[in-house]
Structures are given as structure tokens and as C-alpha cells.
Amino acid sequence: MAVLPIIIAPHPVLKQVAKPVPAVDQRIARLMDDMVETMYEANGIGLAAPQVGILDRVIVVDVHEKDEPPNPIRMANPEVVWASPDLAVCEEGCLSIPEQYAEVTRPSAVRVRYLDREGQERELDASGMLATCIQHEIDHLNGVLFVDHLSMLKRGMIMRRLQKQQKQKATA
Ligand code: GNR
Ligand code: NI
């Protein structure tokens, strides 16, 4: 396993649409494992392959509570097959937009179809933080960041704050 470098916005790879994986082969299983390790190392609750520069439709999530054992979920070709009509607001962050947060509104529950690490087709019913996180990760596969759900004004404020913070970090 390996910790991969996470790409920070604005970067063109984060705007690209990722390709479906034809099958969950050795390479994809390895990528899933490396992404889980990278997610844990970064203290994230999810990670999408484009965030580590790989344009395959692969995501990992783990929303376990601190007092519970880890529960990583690895997904290839995840697809929302049902979304609840009721919406939920969640304060979101993103490892590719470090230290910036904003409220995003999304369906409060989703059913997602995907291929697991063994290439088996599965469905998962998600609500709460898990539903939010899965939708955030699938957005990444479509070149969409959480700030794209905000008004132009709020997005501009966050991206300018991020630029300033990244420049300060580079010269610190
Ligand atoms: O670690 C993360 N936290 C988070 C919090 C609220 C909503 C979504 C997320 S996902 C984010 C990790 C990340 O950037 N995944 O793409
Ligand atoms: Ni993200």
C-alpha cells in the first residue's frame, strides 16, 4: 500500500470527467487500497481517484465514528440509482480545497450501485453523512467540486482564500 499525493484546486485534473473502469482488476484493487491508506493519512472521510490524479471512476469512503472500528467502502463505477426527494444541508470540506468549508444542500438519502473490490455488483442504501460523502465523491468523478454547488460569490470567496493560503504556505 502507498500514500498518494493529493491534488489541490485549482487544477485541471479536478475538472475532468473520469472514465468507467472496464473491470476491477489487480490495478484497480491496488488503487482502491492505496486510496484508503491516503484517505486515512489525510484524516478524510472519502477520496475520489481524480484527487490523486487518476481519471478512473473509483471512490473510497469511511464515515465510522471515532469509537468504532474502521469501515472502509471501496467502489468502482458508483451510480446513484435512487435519490430521496427530501434534502439535507451539510457543512462540507474537501481534501483538494484544504481548510475551506461551506454548507451544501443534497438529497438526504441515496441508493448507490457499484462494483466492490472483488468486482461484484452491489447496492448500498446510504443516509446522513454517508449519503453526503458518497455524493461528494461521485461529483469528483464528474469534475464537480463542492464549491460548484455554491453561489458564484461564495465560490469566489473560498477560491481566493484558498489561493492566498496556498501562497502563504509556499513561502512559509
Ligand atoms: O474529508 C472529507 N470530509 C467531508 C466533510 C463533509 C462532506 C464531504 C466530505 S468529503 C472530504 C474528503 C474529500 O475531499 N473527498 O473528496
Ligand atoms: Ni472532495
Side-chain angles (χ1 to χ4, degrees):
M1 299 237 282
V3 172
L4 307 170
I6 296 174
I7 292 167
I8 305 301
H11 188 292
V13 79
L14 297 173
K15 307 260 76 184
Q16 304 273 307
V17 177
K19 283 201 214 66
V21 305
V24 181
D25 56 13
Q26 280 257 353
R27 182 181 75 85
I28 296 298
R30 169 89 207 261
L31 172 63
M32 288 170 161
D33 293 344
D34 288 348
M35 286 172 58
V36 169
E37 193 180 349
T38 303
M39 169 179 71
Y40 288 152
E41 205 263 344
N43 293 313
I45 61 170
L47 189 69
Q51 293 180 277
V52 292
I54 295 170
L55 289 170
D56 288 320
R57 299 188 78 83
V58 173
I59 67 172
V60 298
V61 298
D62 189 341
V63 299
H64 79 277
E65 302 286 339
K66 281 195 198 89
D67 56 354
E68 286 171 12
N71 181 29
I73 306 175
R74 298 163 172 83
M75 299 184 178
N77 301 341
E79 251 188 289
V80 172
V81 294
W82 176 82
S84 65
D86 61 302
L87 307 177
V89 180
C90 179
E91 175 109 316
E92 296 200 14
C94 182
L95 295 172
S96 295
I97 309 177
E99 290 163 53
Q100 309 300 323
Y101 305 90
E103 288 189 339
V104 178
T105 303
R106 303 179 185 272
S108 64
V110 291
R111 172 170 291 175
V112 58
R113 183 179 297 154
Y114 64 98
L115 302 177
D116 70 12
R117 195 181 181 286
E118 278 65 56
Q120 270 263 26
E121 186 171 292
R122 288 175 175 272
E123 283 189 4
L124 177 68
D125 285 314
S127 60
M129 203 59 191
L130 182 59
T132 296
C133 187
I134 288 171
Q135 293 174 82
H136 174 116
E137 302 314 334
I138 293 176
D139 269 357
H140 276 298
L141 302 182
N142 295 323
V144 174
L145 301 174
F146 80 87
V147 292
D148 296 321
H149 293 277
L150 308 176
S151 68
M152 218 167 52
L153 181 73
K154 284 187 185 166
R155 180 166 55 250
M157 284 186 356
I158 286 180
M159 295 314 285
R160 274 191 298 280
R161 272 204 312 253
L162 178 65
Q163 292 262 38
K164 191 174 159 190
Q165 171 220 282
Q166 290 297 111
K167 269 183 197 133
Q168 276 174 343
K169 233 183 73 178
T171 59

